[in-house]
């Protein structure tokens, strides 16, 4: 008994010393030392970082847990994997990846995973497992088999833990949606302390609706789906997720016009407080969190875009055209519900807008609401002139 007590005492004493040392280390390390550099784990506070890597047109997210374990979600196109991802991983000193996630079989997501799986040891692969017959996808599946990497299907309800970080699969669920590969993109919720990230692949509006039907909790950070395409990121989705920060992974000068104007409008109207970061403007975007607060480091700082996208500074190209806006887009405006959206549509059939001030002629819109709407809307060519 005495020996046991002594052991416990010594054990407690040692735990106390270790605890004090950890506390001192955390207190003494100044904020801001964790950036793209990797320092020895013992020198760092317990922080998670999530890097939205600029892979051009495509998506790739690298996550480092506080325990120095790495997760890669998508890898951009094959060329980006070779020319961006591999050099990046080597610069960061990443020797192995605990987990690789493929959200869906399109080449701008899995192409870059091929050179990574070829050269970097990977603990396991989590993927949507949809049927698709492209050369890239078949090569991806064959490589996993040849390397004997454990493969797991991502299905709603699945939970994983990597170090102190929890990953929840929110989507897809069985049976898969019939509306295509994007609809069944893997949606991952990554939780560390009180901070949550939502990664969405190329999820489209039918996919979002399916996730919403199963309920989605608010998240601090949202990866805007499908590179900011207008066929994703509905107002209902944004209102449910309530992100404080959104990241759009679109390539500079991409031929699809991503992110689409309609998506930026919906972000301004339905997530007005979210700070917007874009790979095409900010380069690689790194979010660092201690589980309570998030700080952002960007590779580039384009003028005016590192701050919040204030609605009063929204350029006219991002405003909603009162003569052309759909009912859904109008409903997404602050203070405009289904009734007022219908009244605006009815009104413009008779009187195409030539000035925003005409909104005052619609029952239910007063001067105060007009001033709220003024920075968000514009008057373009009327529908009747088409
Ligand atoms: Zn894509």
């Amino acid at each position: 008994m005495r020996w046991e007590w002594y052991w416990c005492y010594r054990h407690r004493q040692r735990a106390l010393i270790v605890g004090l040392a950890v506390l001192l280390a955390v207190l003494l390390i100044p904020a801001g030392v964790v950036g793209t550099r990797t320092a020895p784990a013992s020198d760092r506070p317990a922080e998670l970082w999530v890097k939205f890597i600029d892979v051009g047109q495509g998506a790739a997210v690298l996550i480092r847990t506080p325990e120095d374990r790495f997760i890669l979600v998508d890898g951009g196109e094959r060329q980006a994997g070779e020319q961006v991802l591999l050099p990046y991983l080597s610069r960061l000193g990443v020797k192995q990846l605990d987990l690789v996630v493929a959200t869906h079989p399109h080449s701008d997501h899995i192409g870059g995973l091929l050179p990574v799986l070829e050269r970097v040891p990977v603990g396991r692969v989590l993927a949507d497992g949809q049927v698709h017959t492209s050369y890239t996808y078949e090569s991806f599946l064959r490589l996993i088999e040849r390397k004997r990497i454990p493969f797991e299907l991502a299905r709603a309800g699945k939970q994983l833990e990597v170090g102190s970080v929890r990953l929840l699969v929110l989507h897809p669920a069985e049976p898969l949606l019939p509306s295509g590969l994007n609809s069944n993109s893997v949606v991952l919720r990554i939780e560390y302390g009180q901070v949550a990230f939502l990664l969405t692949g190329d999820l489209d509006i039918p996919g979002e609706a399916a996730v919403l039907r199963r309920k989605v909790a608010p998240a601090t950070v949202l990866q805007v789906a499908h590179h900011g395409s207008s066929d994703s990121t509905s107002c209902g989705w944004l209102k449910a997720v309530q992100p404080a920060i959104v990241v759009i992974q679109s390539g500079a000068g991409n031929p699809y016009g991503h992110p689409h104007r309609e998506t930026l409008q919906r972000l301004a109207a339905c997530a007005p407080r979210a700070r917007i970061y874009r790979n095409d403007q900010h380069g690689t975007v790194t979010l660092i969190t201690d589980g309570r607060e998030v700080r952002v480091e960007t590779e580039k700082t384009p003028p005016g875009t590192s701050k919040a996208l204030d609605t009063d500074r929204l350029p006219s190209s991002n405003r909603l055209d009162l003569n052309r806006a759909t009912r859904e887009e109008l409903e997404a405006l602050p203070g405009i519900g289904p009734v007022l959206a219908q009244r605006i549509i009815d009104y413009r059939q008779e009187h195409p807008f030539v000035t925003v001030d005409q909104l005052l002629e619609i029952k239910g819109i007063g001067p105060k609401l007009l001033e709220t709407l003024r920075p968000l809307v514009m008057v373009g060519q009327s529908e009747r002139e088409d």
Side-chain angles (χ1 to χ4, degrees):
M1 281 300 277
R2 204 183 149 87
W3 179 84
E4 203 172 277
W5 178 86
Y6 176 75
W7 185 86
C8 281
Y9 170 75
R10 287 294 297 255
H11 189 71
R12 276 217 309 265
Q13 198 176 39
R14 200 169 54 191
L16 192 68
I17 289 166
V18 170
L20 279 174
V22 169
L23 187 69
L24 263 178
V26 169
L27 289 176
L28 289 177
I29 292 168
V33 292
V34 180
T36 51
R37 291 175 296 122
T38 44
S42 57
D43 291 352
R44 282 197 306 250
E47 289 184 320
L48 164 79
W49 59 237
V50 178
K51 270 181 192 295
F52 294 84
I53 300 175
D54 180 10
V55 288
Q57 184 64 8
V61 184
L62 181 67
I63 297 153
R64 195 207 67 200
T65 75
E67 299 79 18
D68 246 344
R69 295 170 72 176
F70 289 89
I71 302 161
L72 179 63
V73 182
D74 287 341
E77 293 281 0
R78 183 173 191 127
Q79 200 181 20
E82 274 154 10
Q83 295 175 3
V84 180
L85 270 187
L86 280 176
Y88 208 92
L89 293 174
S90 121
R91 267 207 308 282
L92 291 173
V94 179
K95 299 277 188 298
Q96 64 176 58
L97 294 162
D98 278 76
L99 174 67
V100 164
V101 182
T103 60
H104 67 295
H106 286 148
S107 67
D108 58 326
H109 295 255
I110 61 159
L113 295 179
L114 289 166
V116 171
L117 291 177
E118 195 69 68
R119 313 237 192 102
V120 182
V122 169
R124 57 181 156 169
V125 169
L126 178 74
D128 57 312
Q130 295 187 77
V131 177
H132 186 54
T133 54
S134 72
Y135 174 75
T136 307
Y137 190 48
E138 284 169 9
S139 309
F140 173 70
L141 296 177
R142 270 202 305 273
L143 185 54
I144 292 167
E145 204 174 69
R146 176 158 62 79
K147 293 263 181 184
R148 296 175 192 278
I149 304 170
F151 180 91
E152 292 173 34
L153 269 186
R155 289 294 178 265
K158 189 177 179 71
Q159 296 194 16
L160 301 169
E161 265 159 31
V162 179
S164 49
V165 174
R166 200 157 75 109
L167 293 94
L168 302 154
V169 178
L170 303 189
H171 192 68
E174 295 286 353
L176 296 182
L177 297 173
S179 40
L181 295 176
N182 288 349
S183 296
N184 296 302
S185 286
V186 175
V187 177
L188 269 188
R189 180 181 168 89
I190 295 165
E191 294 178 344
Y192 179 56
Q194 296 153 25
V195 174
F197 296 75
L198 207 58
L199 304 185
T200 56
D202 279 355
L203 189 72
D204 56 9
I205 288 176
E208 289 171 4
V211 182
L212 287 171
R213 279 196 294 276
R214 295 192 295 271
K215 289 245 167 76
V216 61
T220 325
V221 180
L222 171 69
Q223 178 195 39
V224 170
H226 200 184
H227 325 288
S229 165
S230 61
D231 62 15
S232 304
T233 315
S234 66
C235 191
W237 177 250
L238 289 172
K239 286 189 168 166
V241 179
Q242 300 169 35
I245 295 171
V246 300
V247 184
I248 306 175
Q249 295 210 276
S250 55
N254 71 79
Y256 310 99
H258 292 158
H260 288 151
R261 187 171 56 91
E262 295 89 331
T263 309
L264 297 174
Q265 285 168 346
R266 285 200 286 265
L267 283 165
C270 309
R273 279 191 293 275
R275 283 184 289 157
I276 298 173
Y277 295 90
R278 300 166 47 163
N279 283 156
D280 62 341
Q281 295 183 340
H282 296 93
T284 293
V285 177
T286 306
L287 306 182
I288 302 147
T289 179
D290 58 0
R292 281 172 297 143
E293 289 175 351
V294 181
R295 65 178 198 277
V296 184
E297 291 178 1
T298 60
E299 189 185 4
K300 301 177 205 160
T301 48
T305 50
S306 58
K307 299 197 193 87
L309 181 69
D310 294 338
T311 49
D312 58 352
R313 284 192 284 127
L314 204 62
S316 61
S317 62
N318 288 334
R319 296 184 189 202
L320 198 59
D321 184 346
L322 287 173
N323 283 325
R324 287 168 175 272
T326 63
R327 186 195 313 262
E328 196 205 6
E329 287 170 333
L330 289 167
E331 278 182 33
L333 289 167
I336 303 288
V339 173
L340 284 180
Q342 189 54 52
R343 283 187 196 158
I344 292 171
I345 290 167
D346 293 344
Y347 175 87
R348 76 184 180 197
Q349 311 283 356
E350 300 297 320
H351 318 275
F353 285 95
V354 288
T355 164
V356 171
D357 294 326
Q358 281 171 267
L359 282 170
L360 286 173
E361 296 175 37
I362 294 166
K363 193 177 153 217
I365 300 182
K368 203 173 158 206
L369 183 51
L370 173 67
E371 289 320 307
T372 307
L373 297 172
R374 195 185 290 282
L376 300 170
V377 297
M378 60 175 281
V379 171
Q381 202 184 28
S382 83
E383 278 173 332
R384 296 210 308 194
E385 285 161 8
D386 281 348

